[in-house]
Amino acid sequence: MIIAAAQFLPVPGDIEANAARMAGLITEAAGRGAGLVVFPELALTHYDLDLIAADPRRMTVTEDDARLAPVREACRATGAAAVVNAAGRATGDGSRPAISSFVLGPDGALVTRYDKIHLFGDENAVFAPGVTEGRFTLGGIRFALATCFDNSFPEVPARAAADGCRVYLASSFHDATERVARYAQQARDHGLHVLLANGMGTGGSASGCGLSGAWLPSGERVAAAAEWTGTVPGDGAELVLTDVRDRITLMADPAVAAITVKECGEPLVDVRTAAPALLVAEDRHDAQGAFAFLREGVLQRLLAAQESLPDGLRLRFVEGYRPPGLQRRYFEEYTDELRATHPHWDAARLHQAASRYVSPPGIAPHSAGGAVDLTLVTAEGEAVDMGTPVNASPEESDGACYTAAPDLTPAARAHRRVLNAALTAAGLVNYPTEWWHWSYGDRYWALATGAEHALYGPKERDGR
């Protein structure tokens, strides 16, 4: 996944204009391959505390505020998520607003809201502090949210790392290069990939210096926007992009194996007879026809997803259930291929690398009957551009098999977006290293959705 920080000079107090500008930047970033765009602190109004305090009703928003419609629509149109920082209207009995990060998903719906916990100086007279951490998962990556002064407290990124977050997103309004430079140490100390969206311009008594950027877990800065030093042409908008695909939670991650399975006993059904409306790939065969079986609940969700597709498109089922013995063979064979190509890799690295493409046997979603490999085709069954064939490995596709891979053709990106929207709405989750692999009820699904336990464990066709 590519993620982006967007810095621009907002129009003070003009939420409609700033939301429209954000929508344009989301569209631009998505066109460059970004799946997530992060905006600076209070970018929806500009960082001007007096302005917000003078008219808190008009200067605050909720996640469903009509003025955010352009942002929501840009997310839906591009399939990109966005982190919009604004004065968030008080929830519950609170009388003061919060400095809020609204995370809008690729469907434009709210994923989570994080309210800044550590307020700075005059912010305390206008806002109420938040009380809960900001966390969300997107594209197989666990993200942490923080806002400006939060980042002055080492325990904030430390808790993020302890919670399993791999990428740390900071929406800020720093006034000096020295403050921006601290993110390198933060990344290095906690092993986090850090993305900073920093504001620019002068708001009341504060100034933002720009310099949005990205840092690797090593502390190396890999992207930087310009410094704001005064008047700039237009709104000085600039995007900073960074690739975080190596932060994806892989099947080999101990967090996946740690998920408890409470087997629900749902049967495996043959999609060829149970769902004639579902097109099954003609070139798939095995002696027992195991590939065509799925858990009943997964199949029902596939049929719902197919119903939601645009006219002229349908799903093509490629593979579902995979017996545990076959899964083990596939995993060992791919591991052997990697070992031959990389003889210097140790066993742990080989195991992790192999899990990008084939799941370790003990936790494999296919062997639980909860996973399906599929693609889009036309109503007549003709293939459409998806960027790679189904089952293209990372090596042979040069990484284009990753769901959010950059440099796809516009048609492939659009088709993946359609597939993602339909299957996500039906309750399935994607394995982000394989655009064709979707699952429900398995351990990876439970980890990605926050479910208390998995519904399906490894299963033999005879019920064992």
Side-chain angles (χ1 to χ4, degrees):
M1 175 187 289
I2 304 294
I3 61 175
Q7 68 177 43
F8 71 105
L9 192 60
V11 180
D14 194 336
I15 290 177
E16 290 87 349
N18 296 328
R21 189 67 182 102
M22 289 177 172
L25 288 167
I26 291 168
T27 301
E28 180 184 345
R32 295 169 61 183
L36 173 67
V37 186
V38 183
F39 292 94
E41 184 177 24
L42 294 176
L44 194 62
T45 55
H46 193 38
Y47 188 97
D48 190 324
L49 304 185
D50 292 338
L51 186 70
I52 297 168
D55 194 352
R57 188 69 186 172
R58 190 170 66 87
M59 292 293 104
T60 59
V61 297
T62 58
E63 65 269 15
D64 58 355
D65 194 297
R67 293 170 293 179
L68 286 174
V71 179
R72 289 192 290 267
E73 179 53 36
C75 291
R76 283 192 291 266
T78 63
V83 179
V84 177
N85 195 281
R89 198 161 297 158
T91 58
D93 298 328
S95 59
R96 286 183 293 166
I99 298 178
S100 305
S101 286
F102 295 96
V103 182
L104 304 178
D107 60 355
L110 183 73
V111 175
T112 192
R113 167 178 167 168
Y114 167 67
D115 294 343
K116 183 178 181 179
I117 294 175
H118 301 93
L119 300 176
F120 179 75
D122 292 342
E123 293 173 357
N124 288 279
V126 182
F127 299 102
V131 294
T132 57
E133 306 282 4
R135 307 281 187 266
F136 69 98
T137 299
L138 181 71
I141 300 172
R142 187 158 169 80
F143 292 90
L145 296 162
T147 306
C148 207
F149 195 47
D150 285 336
N151 301 294
S152 295
F153 296 82
E155 61 268 27
V156 173
R159 285 196 300 265
D163 284 347
C165 296
R166 306 289 182 86
V167 181
Y168 187 87
L169 307 175
S171 295
S172 300
F173 199 77
H174 296 308
D175 61 357
T177 58
E178 293 79 10
R179 294 193 178 189
V180 172
R182 295 175 189 171
Y183 286 94
Q185 187 69 40
Q186 191 180 78
R188 196 162 44 242
D189 287 350
H190 305 289
L192 294 164
H193 196 128
V194 175
L195 180 71
L196 166 68
N198 196 46
M200 53 194 292
T202 301
S205 59
S207 295
C209 66
L211 291 172
S212 297
W215 292 261
L216 299 179
S218 64
E220 177 189 358
R221 187 167 190 169
V222 291
E227 182 177 7
W228 184 82
T229 56
T231 304
V232 294
D235 62 4
E238 191 171 354
L239 291 168
V240 167
L241 287 82
T242 186
D243 192 336
V244 293
R245 278 179 291 178
D246 64 346
R247 311 306 286 170
I248 289 171
T249 299
L250 297 174
M251 289 288 183
D253 195 294
V256 180
I259 295 291
T260 300
V261 177
K262 294 186 178 180
E263 174 60 55
C264 68
E266 195 175 279
L268 290 165
V269 295
D270 189 335
V271 302
R272 295 169 295 187
T273 55
L278 194 62
L279 185 65
V280 177
E282 296 178 352
D283 58 349
R284 288 285 161 159
H285 303 283
D286 63 69
Q288 281 76 43
F291 81 96
F293 281 74
L294 272 182
R295 296 280 189 149
E296 191 172 41
V298 182
L299 178 56
Q300 293 307 313
R301 285 166 175 79
L302 286 189
L303 294 173
Q306 179 156 274
E307 285 296 316
S308 72
L309 290 173
D311 290 344
L313 291 173
R314 62 189 300 194
L315 299 176
R316 173 181 279 163
F317 175 98
V318 176
E319 184 180 14
Y321 175 70
R322 191 180 294 158
L326 182 60
Q327 181 71 32
R328 185 174 300 106
R329 194 188 92 199
Y330 284 172
F331 187 79
E332 291 173 353
E333 287 176 350
Y334 185 52
T335 302
D336 288 343
E337 287 180 25
L338 291 174
R339 184 181 293 110
T341 306
H342 306 283
H344 58 288
W345 284 5
D346 61 22
R349 185 170 182 183
L350 285 167
H351 187 79
Q352 182 179 28
S355 76
R356 297 170 304 160
Y357 182 55
V358 184
S359 177
I363 54 90
H366 278 292
S367 296
V372 58
D373 295 340
L374 45 68
T375 186
L376 283 179
V377 294
T378 67
E380 294 74 31
E382 297 297 322
V384 300
D385 183 5
M386 300 297 295
T388 75
V390 171
N391 288 330
S393 72
E395 290 75 27
E396 64 193 15
S397 70
D398 195 23
C401 59
Y402 282 65
T403 307
D407 302 324
L408 297 173
T409 66
R413 186 176 293 119
H415 288 140
R416 290 191 188 186
R417 188 161 62 241
V418 168
L419 185 67
N420 292 358
L423 293 169
T424 300
L428 286 85
V429 301
N430 172 243
Y431 189 44
T433 65
E434 300 176 339
W435 61 261
W436 58 84
H437 178 108
W438 292 80
S439 68
Y440 171 83
D442 62 293
R443 282 184 168 105
Y444 199 86
W445 165 85
L447 182 67
T449 62
E452 292 183 359
H453 56 83
L455 306 175
Y456 310 142
K459 185 178 180 67
E460 297 287 355
R461 281 276 305 287
D462 61 6
R464 289 184 287 112

